[in-house]
Structure formats: C-alpha cells, structure tokens
Amino acid sequence: MKIGSIVIDCKDFDRMATFWQQVLHYVPREPAEANWVVLKDPEGRGPNVSINQTTEERSGKNRLHLDLYTEKQREEVERLLSIGATLHRPREPDEDFVVLEDPEGNLFCIVDTSSRS
C-alpha cells in the first residue's frame, strides 16, 4: 500500500487550488472537475495533493499537516507569504521549522534542510 494523494478540504476551491499549485510547483493531473483536482509533481517525485471543495467549516487545530522541506527556508517563506500564506509562528532558536497557514487557516511547516547531510 502507498499514499495515493493527500487531500486538502477547502471552501474556496479556486483560491486554494491556485495557492497549492504555486506552493508546490505542481500541475493538475487532469482538469479540475466538480470542485476537485488532483495536483501532481511534474517530476514524479512527490505525492499527489488533491484539493476538494466542501461546505463544512474547519474547526480547531488541524490534526494532520504538511512539512515542506527546503534548503532555502528564508526565501521560500518570503515567497509563500507573497502568494497568500500567513505566518502562524516564527522559527524558534532551537527549531528548524517555521509554521505558516494557507489562505483558509490550515497549518503547514517549512523545514530548513540546509544543515542536513
């Protein structure tokens, strides 16, 4: 068994689909249909991320979140803030991650991998 797709439910489908495409540099596997789209890594390395419109409101803290790895944390955080993410919690001195929120308040982390071998 393997992960086929990580699904993100949302209220504003167009905004969230565009946001996550820009965050991950992913492309739709096929055209969006009925407010559902599977985004894929064009290089075939990462898992699919699907965006699904729902009428339900998000409540409380997400119980699952994405950790996005990068060797250019500062640049990526700035890029993501410019496309609609918001800062949830800055990096603490003993941590390697910054916590951001997507446009609908879902948390995700940008993890600095520059010091890993």
Side-chain angles (χ1 to χ4, degrees):
M1 187 147 17
K2 69 176 187 171
I3 294 173
S5 189
I6 299 163
V7 180
I8 299 173
D9 288 336
C10 65
K11 299 277 285 178
D12 186 339
F13 176 80
D14 292 331
R15 182 176 184 195
M16 291 288 281
T18 299
F19 176 79
W20 284 104
Q21 284 179 68
Q22 291 176 336
V23 168
L24 300 170
H25 304 290
Y26 274 25
V27 297
R29 187 176 66 190
E30 53 272 318
E33 188 175 312
N35 296 318
W36 166 264
V37 68
V38 177
L39 305 176
K40 69 176 186 168
D41 178 350
E43 296 178 15
R45 296 181 299 175
N48 293 330
V49 173
S50 298
I51 308 300
N52 177 53
Q53 186 173 38
T54 182
T55 58
E56 298 172 11
E57 296 290 335
R58 188 180 78 77
S59 63
K61 183 178 189 274
N62 12 335
R63 302 285 302 258
L64 175 74
H65 70 266
L66 301 179
D67 281 352
L68 306 177
Y69 287 19
T70 180
E71 292 183 355
K72 298 177 181 179
Q73 184 184 55
R74 181 176 307 219
E75 293 89 344
E76 284 297 332
V77 167
E78 289 174 9
R79 181 180 74 84
L80 298 176
L81 292 172
S82 76
I83 64 170
T86 56
L87 180 64
H88 179 77
R89 188 172 64 75
R91 181 176 176 162
E92 298 291 330
D94 61 335
E95 297 174 339
D96 63 354
F97 61 92
V98 173
V99 183
L100 299 179
E101 295 181 26
D102 73 11
E104 292 199 0
N106 299 302
L107 303 179
F108 63 101
C109 295
I110 306 303
V111 181
D112 182 359
T113 60
S114 63
S115 62
R116 296 182 186 174
S117 50

